[in-house]
Amino acid sequence: MLRLNPGWLDYTLLALYFVVVLGIGVVARRAVGTSADFLLAGRSLPAWVTGLAFVAANLGATEIIGMAANGAEYGVATVHYYWIGAVPAMVFLGIVMMPFYYRSKVRSVPEFLRLRFGNYTHILNAAVFAIASVLIAGVNLYALAIVLNALLGWPEFLGIVVSAAVVLVYIGFGGLGSAIYGEVLQFFVILAGLIPLAIVAVRHVGGFSALADKVTASALGEGGLHAWQGTGIGSVTNPIGANWISIVLGLGFVLSFGYWTTNFAEIQRALSAKDRSASQRTPLIAAFPKILIPAVTIIPGLVALVAIPNFGNDASGGLEYNDAIPALIGQLLPEGVLGIALTGLFASFMAGVAANVSSLNTVVTYDLLQPYLAPGRSDRYYLNAGRVVTAVGVVIAIFTALLAADFNNIMTYLQSLFGIFNAPIFATFILGMFWKRTSGWGGFAGLLTGVLAGALVFVLAEAGVVDFGSGIATSFYQAGAAFLVDVVVTVVVSLATARPEPERLAGIVYGVPGADGVVPTLRQPKERVWYRKPVLLGGLALALTVVLNIVFA
Amino acid sequence: MSEPIQPGRPQAQVETGSRMQRLFDLRYVIGALLGVYGVVLVIRGLLDGPEQLARASGISINLWTGIGLLVVAAIFLVWGLTRPLGIDVEENID
């Protein structure tokens, strides 16, 4: 039922995309002369490019397919992953944190920890990030192979190797620059596939009001149409299965701020912007598409739920929630648009892998090789190292993907575990950026114990010792525990250890002047035109989010 | 914890207006790819018969998607032509 039947035209459209992306990689190779060109894209891109790449790096196919699946399983409340779980954190990153990152001239997120807290925190964070990136790249490759297998009948191994080879060619040649250009292209192609799909899907069930009636009559019920109704404390009836406090604090604050403000695969896009103002606008520009994307993921999910018989009951032979978008593509799109949608899916899978690989090579080269393993070499050495790491990373990702094929559950656990690392790190960054007294040992102890606390909650929940009601609620509590422990331990240990040396703070902590005499504050860049003012852009994004939350409450 | 600080390489070494950007303007790439997709879909859409229409619940989806793609492609091409690289308005920082 899932198998698509693409015609020659669809394959031509797909092939054309591959040619263009590989072409970008080959041409971009001529732009790469130094390791900074390769790993940082020369820090010269305009804000609209880095902004779209910022949102696209997160618009991997696992995200698209997964959010459509959530739409079918939880209904409209899935918007919390976007409007509560992303937009506020993106605005905060753009207005509050990006100035600190950009001014510190760090080349990666772990490098900021090195400047501020010293080597132990740095190595801990860089090593965990490198391992997580390569494993997640593998998981993405495997997910791609499954879809290729289901839709086109390609053997999984072939799918894994072909897509890995394409990623290797365009990142290996052009580095971050071609990864970012590829992401921007992918952004347009995936929308060119998903928007028609959503339109046809709504028409298929007879329009919006018919869709609403059918959802109310489905397993989701009335709650499936509301984001906030039924999330009262003690009386949770909304299908999302969490009350509003754990949604706002757990998802909205701890989980999402940890991810969006410290995940290097995202921050790297903003760091490659041409100036401070453009780097600040990167996540703010990204926020606008992010606000609207649920329309093309949740709607297909809901349509699949009501239009495909027995949907979501894989135990009794029905399709899984994850099949929502592939199944609708196969059922509703004719030759032509079908090819675009297929290309969009491929493109977003590869962009996800490319984002992981292009941040991996930077962290390994600049955060592990240059300071510790092979210091003091020529730039040529680090450029070549970046290329070698790219190749090795892709090969490891292939093996991870093959491993994932055999041990699917292990990979799920691993991903949850890496989620644990994201939650406490936001606390470490905020304390480091705004509290002068935070010491190197305080940062290290806080991060380590925060991770352990999150892991402990995860293990206790898995073992059934504690029960939070649903998997989503568990991850909220787990992130909350990690965050709180990090804050408390960082503060206590910092107060108990020596004040950090002034040069550790210069230019990177709020109110402490740097060597150039510039005092880091939250003063925003002066821009003449309104669409370049960060605070205005951020305010608009938040206002739009509030309005949409009220409309869909 | 007492290692000397080695901040990232000063950005002065990175020349303004990257080589990447001077090599090719991404706006033309987007415009060209979406433009070709748009033309192909419009032609396919004009040839669509009842079978394709029925599949997409009666919407001439190829035609409309093609038109949409052509509009977006045109926006990027016009933007690229009217505001070529290199005369970007200077921005003030700090």
Side-chain angles (χ1 to χ4, degrees):
Chain A
M1 165 141 191
L2 260 189
R3 183 66 50 91
L4 300 184
N5 217 343
W8 64 269
L9 182 64
D10 301 315
Y11 281 115
T12 309
L13 295 172
L14 182 62
L16 180 64
Y17 182 81
F18 278 94
V19 169
V20 170
V21 166
L22 291 176
I24 288 178
V26 172
V27 177
R29 188 191 163 92
R30 288 167 42 205
V32 172
T34 65
S35 67
D37 290 336
F38 185 73
L39 298 169
L40 308 172
R43 287 211 193 204
S44 53
L45 300 173
W48 70 270
V49 171
T50 53
L52 293 181
F54 188 97
V55 71
N58 174 258
L59 202 58
T62 36
E63 157 90 7
I64 291 166
I65 288 178
M67 283 302 161
N70 284 342
E73 195 171 355
Y74 305 123
V76 170
T78 305
V79 295
H80 293 317
Y81 285 99
Y82 298 86
W83 298 342
I84 292 291
V87 173
M90 290 161 88
V91 172
F92 185 83
L93 170 68
I95 290 175
V96 177
M97 290 177 75
M98 227 34 242
F100 289 83
Y101 280 129
Y102 203 84
R103 180 169 18 223
S104 69
K105 295 191 167 45
V106 291
R107 300 161 300 181
S108 71
V109 167
E111 194 167 69
F112 188 89
L113 291 175
R114 178 162 192 241
L115 294 183
R116 182 66 182 82
F117 294 122
N119 294 348
Y120 298 110
T121 319
H122 179 225
I123 295 173
L124 174 68
N125 184 239
V128 167
F129 180 83
I131 295 168
S133 301
V134 80
L135 291 182
I136 292 173
V139 172
N140 278 328
L141 272 182
Y142 174 60
L144 170 55
I146 294 179
V147 173
L148 279 182
N149 181 267
L151 298 185
L152 304 178
W154 288 23
E156 280 175 13
F157 182 76
L158 184 69
I160 290 173
V161 171
V162 168
S163 5
V166 174
V167 169
L168 178 60
V169 169
Y170 83 91
I171 309 279
F173 279 151
L176 181 62
S178 48
I180 286 179
Y181 277 24
E183 280 158 7
V184 176
L185 274 186
Q186 172 247 329
F187 173 81
F188 288 104
V189 176
I190 188 81
L191 287 183
L194 286 181
I195 293 173
L197 180 68
I199 293 172
V200 175
V202 170
R203 178 75 168 258
H204 179 67
V205 290
F208 278 108
S209 58
L211 175 60
D213 292 343
K214 286 179 179 166
V215 170
T216 310
S218 74
L220 279 178
E222 173 72 16
L225 293 174
H226 297 282
W228 292 104
Q229 275 180 30
T231 60
I233 294 158
S235 61
V236 175
T237 53
N238 194 290
I240 198 149
N243 63 47
W244 65 271
I245 290 193
S246 65
I247 291 172
V248 172
L249 289 182
L251 174 64
F253 184 62
V254 181
L255 271 182
S256 92
F257 276 68
Y259 175 82
W260 289 102
T261 65
T262 64
N263 185 317
F264 179 50
E266 294 293 338
I267 310 290
Q268 187 176 31
R269 273 75 200 144
L271 285 178
S272 66
K274 62 182 175 182
D275 56 36
R276 176 186 153 193
S277 167
S279 80
Q280 285 193 258
R281 274 179 280 134
T282 298
L284 301 176
I285 290 171
F288 290 94
K290 191 74 186 168
I291 292 172
L292 301 174
I293 287 168
V296 294
T297 55
I298 298 177
I299 290 175
L302 290 174
V303 170
L305 177 74
V306 300
I308 299 176
N310 208 16
F311 187 78
N313 289 322
D314 43 324
S316 60
L319 290 173
E320 301 178 31
Y321 287 122
N322 274 333
D323 295 332
I325 282 189
L328 288 184
I329 288 178
Q331 202 176 324
L332 300 178
L333 294 186
E335 185 182 24
V337 179
L338 172 65
I340 304 278
L342 197 58
T343 307
L345 272 188
F346 266 82
S348 65
F349 268 117
M350 287 195 309
V353 179
N356 292 325
V357 171
S358 61
S359 52
L360 167 82
N361 58 23
T362 305
V363 164
V364 171
T365 307
Y366 282 154
D367 289 295
L368 296 174
L369 276 179
Q370 199 180 37
Y372 307 112
L373 300 174
R377 307 292 179 89
S378 68
D379 187 68
R380 187 94 228 148
Y381 177 89
Y382 296 117
L383 171 59
N384 289 331
R387 288 216 160 95
V388 172
V389 172
T390 307
V392 173
V394 169
V395 171
I396 297 177
I398 291 177
F399 282 108
T400 316
L402 296 176
L403 199 71
D406 287 334
F407 301 102
N408 209 348
N409 285 332
I410 293 182
M411 300 318 289
T412 315
Y413 284 130
L414 274 180
Q415 274 192 307
S416 329
L417 279 173
F418 292 129
I420 294 171
F421 285 97
N422 265 329
I425 195 168
F426 172 64
T428 304
F429 269 93
I430 282 297
L431 286 169
M433 282 175 176
F434 290 94
W435 193 41
K436 282 183 260 192
R437 189 65 183 77
T438 317
S439 71
W441 284 115
F444 179 71
L447 190 56
L448 190 63
T449 51
V451 169
L452 293 176
L456 183 68
V457 173
F458 175 74
V459 170
L460 289 179
E462 284 296 314
V465 180
V466 285
D467 184 19
F468 298 108
S470 70
I472 290 179
T474 307
S475 63
F476 294 168
Y477 280 100
Q478 160 193 326
F483 181 83
L484 276 181
V485 169
D486 186 317
V487 170
V488 170
V489 172
T490 306
V491 170
V492 169
V493 174
S494 292
L495 291 174
T497 48
R499 283 179 178 279
E501 310 94 72
E503 70 265 21
R504 281 238 175 273
L505 313 176
I508 57 173
V509 177
Y510 184 83
V512 181
D516 52 1
V518 178
V519 184
T521 59
L522 293 180
R523 251 195 35 232
Q524 298 297 314
K526 292 190 197 67
E527 293 286 1
R528 265 162 299 187
V529 272
W530 64 269
Y531 56 83
R532 286 192 176 147
K533 294 183 195 295
V535 175
L536 186 64
L537 284 176
L540 278 177
L542 289 179
L544 185 54
T545 312
V546 169
V547 170
L548 285 171
N549 266 303
I550 293 170
V551 171
F552 288 92
Chain B
M1 291 253 139
S2 57
E3 274 236 346
I5 299 168
Q6 295 175 355
R9 242 160 27 97
Q11 295 309 303
Q13 296 178 20
V14 180
E15 67 267 57
T16 46
S18 79
R19 300 202 233 172
M20 184 82 185
Q21 265 215 316
R22 271 185 272 125
L23 265 180
F24 58 102
D25 187 337
L26 182 58
R27 292 174 294 186
Y28 293 127
V29 183
I30 296 171
L33 180 70
L34 299 188
V36 171
Y37 278 180
V39 169
V40 170
L41 285 195
V42 166
I43 294 172
R44 177 67 250 191
L46 293 174
L47 300 175
D48 276 351
E51 185 205 339
Q52 281 85 4
L53 283 179
R55 203 174 158 78
S57 313
I59 306 177
S60 185
I61 197 67
N62 274 332
L63 185 63
W64 286 111
T65 309
I67 292 171
L69 283 169
L70 285 178
V71 170
V72 176
I75 291 172
F76 274 94
L77 291 176
V78 168
W79 182 20
L81 289 171
T82 52
R83 299 278 301 271
L85 290 176
I87 58 160
D88 203 11
V89 186
E90 270 310 304
E91 295 170 38
N92 303 321
I93 310 115
D94 281 317

